[in-house]
Amino acid sequence: MDAVLEVENSEVPGIAVQCDLLLPNGHLQRNYEFDITDIGLRRRLVRRFYGILIVGYLSFTFNLKSNLVNPILQLQVACTLPCLELFLKYPLPYNFVVPLSMVLTVFLYTCFYIWRDWRRHGPFNYFVLLLSTLMGSFNRSVYLLNLVETHWVYIYPGILIFEILGLMLYSSQERFRFTQIRGISIICLIFGLFLLLAYRLNRMMEVFSAMACTVEAWYIIYDTHYMLCGRHGYNIGPEEFVYAACNIHCDLPKGMWRLMKMLFFSKIVEAVRMFRECFRTEVC
């Protein structure tokens, strides 16, 4: 009898998990611990640094009503679209430019990775934001002009701007959860509307060639999750929107490495382990 009472009074591991699983959609209601606990402050931060990203794609002043427009951002405004226009008028020798761009990008992001404090504190954070935006605009322009050498190349940054703007509008409410699948649904819906418009205008191939903008928009919400829930270890404050915008750019090598590791290197490691087991396992 004492043994039974002792078992009843003891904590049985796994009960809390089982109770959560009994709830409706309990396996889908996982909550993350964010550095910024207030959902209003957290989503306001997201809207602000998403606004900075949009400014980086535009060629006109975009007032975010949050003191973001300053001399550094005025220089950042003239990035992607004028860069595309310049390369359309003066084509580059891509066989020479692409390797040089890769070397410069690796060197620049290596410096940003080693000296991380530059992203957080002013005025260096504006300098990092400017350099990373210029490098991103240059690489994006070189990639796009390899696909389309007409003014339809503008459709890529245009769709990307609308996708990020849609994510900003969704983050302005606090009633519904902002999960990755809902963000991806917004991105695909906006791109689908542009495809429908392109079908009406008989420009399906030009718009379809800009499909990579959906991947870039998905990376933005993917890195936002990792950045705000502490997985990157940044511990971002509610007013550090410039720092967050810098991280979106500077986390790109880490995101590429994680993708390559998931798609290729994990399979290679699995194949090596299976081959190694051939020397140990007995058939019969």
Side-chain angles (χ1 to χ4, degrees):
M1 185 66 178
D2 294 336
V4 174
L5 291 176
E6 188 176 11
V7 171
E8 290 178 353
N9 292 330
S10 64
E11 294 182 359
V12 180
I15 286 182
V17 177
Q18 293 172 1
C19 291
D20 288 338
L21 293 178
L22 292 176
L23 295 175
N25 297 328
H27 62 292
L28 299 177
Q29 299 297 326
R30 180 180 177 183
N31 294 320
Y32 290 90
E33 293 184 4
F34 292 92
D35 293 334
I36 305 172
T37 56
D38 190 299
I39 186 174
L41 294 177
R42 187 167 66 244
R43 295 196 176 182
R44 186 185 68 175
L45 172 67
V46 170
R47 290 193 298 273
R48 286 184 172 185
F49 75 80
Y50 279 9
I52 294 180
L53 296 178
I54 289 178
V55 170
Y57 299 127
L58 291 176
S59 59
F60 52 88
T61 302
F62 189 87
N63 186 7
L64 299 177
K65 299 179 181 180
S66 56
N67 298 324
L68 296 181
V69 180
N70 49 67
I72 298 296
L73 287 182
Q74 293 292 341
L75 295 176
Q76 186 197 1
V77 165
C79 287
T80 301
L81 298 181
C83 190
L84 288 172
E85 182 66 25
L86 180 64
F87 290 164
L88 282 173
K89 290 184 178 180
Y90 306 100
L92 297 176
Y94 294 108
N95 294 333
F96 172 76
V97 171
V98 172
L100 179 62
S101 174
M102 293 179 62
V103 172
L104 290 177
T105 302
V106 170
F107 173 76
L108 186 65
Y109 283 116
T110 301
C111 294
F112 292 158
Y113 183 79
I114 296 175
W115 292 285
R116 300 184 184 185
D117 290 339
W118 286 9
R119 310 182 213 170
R120 186 183 291 270
H121 305 292
F124 298 107
N125 56 349
Y126 295 103
F127 179 69
V128 172
L129 182 62
L130 177 62
L131 281 182
S132 58
T133 302
L134 289 175
M135 182 58 66
S137 299
F138 179 80
N139 291 333
R140 191 181 296 109
S141 300
V142 170
Y143 162 74
L144 291 175
L145 291 176
N146 274 324
L147 300 177
V148 180
E149 294 187 359
T150 65
H151 283 87
W152 278 97
V153 73
Y154 293 143
I155 198 66
Y156 182 101
I159 296 176
L160 186 58
I161 288 169
F162 277 98
E163 289 172 345
I164 301 177
L165 184 61
L167 297 174
M168 287 179 61
L169 294 176
Y170 186 78
S171 66
S172 63
Q173 54 82 32
E174 301 177 10
R175 180 177 180 181
F176 302 104
R177 302 175 72 225
F178 194 159
T179 59
Q180 284 200 50
I181 189 60
R182 293 183 180 180
I184 293 172
S185 301
I186 293 173
I187 293 170
C188 294
L189 176 62
I190 293 175
F191 186 75
L193 292 176
F194 273 92
L195 281 180
L196 181 61
L197 180 61
Y199 177 77
R200 293 286 186 179
L201 298 177
N202 198 21
R203 293 293 182 178
M204 193 72 173
M205 293 306 300
E206 287 85 348
V207 177
F208 191 77
S209 63
M211 181 178 287
C213 67
T214 59
V215 179
E216 187 170 352
W218 170 79
Y219 161 74
I220 290 174
I221 61 175
Y222 171 82
D223 195 65
T224 300
H225 162 71
Y226 268 76
M227 182 171 26
L228 296 183
C229 74
R231 292 192 173 188
H232 283 333
Y234 288 138
N235 194 20
I236 296 179
E239 301 298 327
E240 294 182 309
F241 42 86
V242 177
Y243 178 51
C246 291
N247 293 335
I248 290 290
H249 292 288
C250 297
D251 287 341
L252 183 59
K254 186 182 296 184
M256 292 296 296
W257 165 251
R258 186 176 291 111
L259 181 63
M260 295 291 292
K261 184 178 179 181
M262 179 183 65
L263 295 179
F264 301 105
F265 294 113
S266 61
K267 303 299 181 183
I268 295 175
V269 171
E270 183 180 353
V272 170
R273 289 176 179 175
M274 184 180 67
F275 182 74
R276 187 176 58 185
E277 288 296 320
C278 295
F279 295 92
R280 302 177 182 177
T281 56
E282 295 183 8
V283 178
C284 57

